[in-house]
Amino acid sequence: MAIGLAALLLIASALVLALRLYFDRTAEDRLRPGEDITIVALREPLAPNAFLACPKGHCAVAEAAPSPVFALSADRLAAYWSEMMAGEPRLVQIAAEPEQRRSVWLQRSAVFRFPDLVTVEFVALAPDRSSLALYSRARYGGYDFGVNRQRVLHWLSRLQQIAGAAR
């Protein structure tokens, strides 16, 4: 009985290690075909392992959470975003389109290193008013336990604190 339990524990440990090594590969740090999407092109329903926040009128997805409006230019808001992202753990920028004020980020989970993709688009509402659209989704699996929702709401709150304090 004890030998069987030890063998099962050894197999489970090997599987966890193999998954961690697989998800830690640099090949995972690139966009795959179909993953590089624009937020305005999204349509309902969103996957259950995804969460979207958009400024009013920017997205065609009714279930999107509203993004805050900032009394800043879109370029200044993007600069605050970059400052904020510099302190985030296990995060790497994997694509950038500065002329569209758009980028894609990959953040890994702490334990198993599962990759989640985050697309951000900065939206100019007026010369001194802007917002952003954030779309966070799990690359693997059908359910994310609310991680993407929590990430987006947390980042929006932090950005409000940073941008508000700098005005």
Side-chain angles (χ1 to χ4, degrees), residues 77-104:
L77 184 60
Y80 283 126
W81 170 267
S82 295
E83 177 185 317
M84 184 179 82
M85 291 296 98
E88 282 294 313
R90 303 171 310 282
L91 182 74
V92 62
Q93 185 176 6
I94 59 175
E97 297 176 33
E99 60 281 352
Q100 276 83 26
R101 293 185 181 113
R102 182 175 175 280
S103 58
V104 181

Side-chain angles (χ1 to χ4, degrees), residues 77-134:
L77 184 60
Y80 283 126
W81 170 267
S82 295
E83 177 185 317
M84 184 179 82
M85 291 296 98
E88 282 294 313
R90 303 171 310 282
L91 182 74
V92 62
Q93 185 176 6
I94 59 175
E97 297 176 33
E99 60 281 352
Q100 276 83 26
R101 293 185 181 113
R102 182 175 175 280
S103 58
V104 181
W105 302 75
L106 183 136
Q107 188 170 43
R108 296 181 181 282
S109 63
V111 177
F112 292 113
R113 315 272 301 159
F114 292 129
D116 287 348
L117 297 171
V118 181
T119 300
V120 59
E121 296 175 1
F122 297 95
V123 181
L125 303 173
D128 63 345
R129 287 174 32 96
S130 62
S131 189
L132 70 160
L134 276 173

Side-chain angles (χ1 to χ4, degrees), residues 17-91:
L17 179 61
L19 280 173
R20 184 171 176 119
L21 291 174
Y22 176 80
F23 287 124
D24 206 23
R25 298 177 313 145
T26 57
E28 290 289 311
D29 291 350
R30 290 191 283 273
L31 284 173
R32 296 178 177 166
E35 288 181 336
D36 190 21
I37 52 98
T38 60
I39 292 176
V40 295
L42 289 173
R43 298 294 178 259
E44 293 178 295
L46 293 178
N49 63 356
F51 188 77
L52 175 65
C54 284
K56 186 176 180 181
H58 184 72
C59 298
V61 178
E63 64 187 271
S67 290
V69 174
F70 297 86
L72 304 164
S73 70
D75 290 334
R76 188 70 185 132
L77 184 60
Y80 283 126
W81 170 267
S82 295
E83 177 185 317
M84 184 179 82
M85 291 296 98
E88 282 294 313
R90 303 171 310 282
L91 182 74

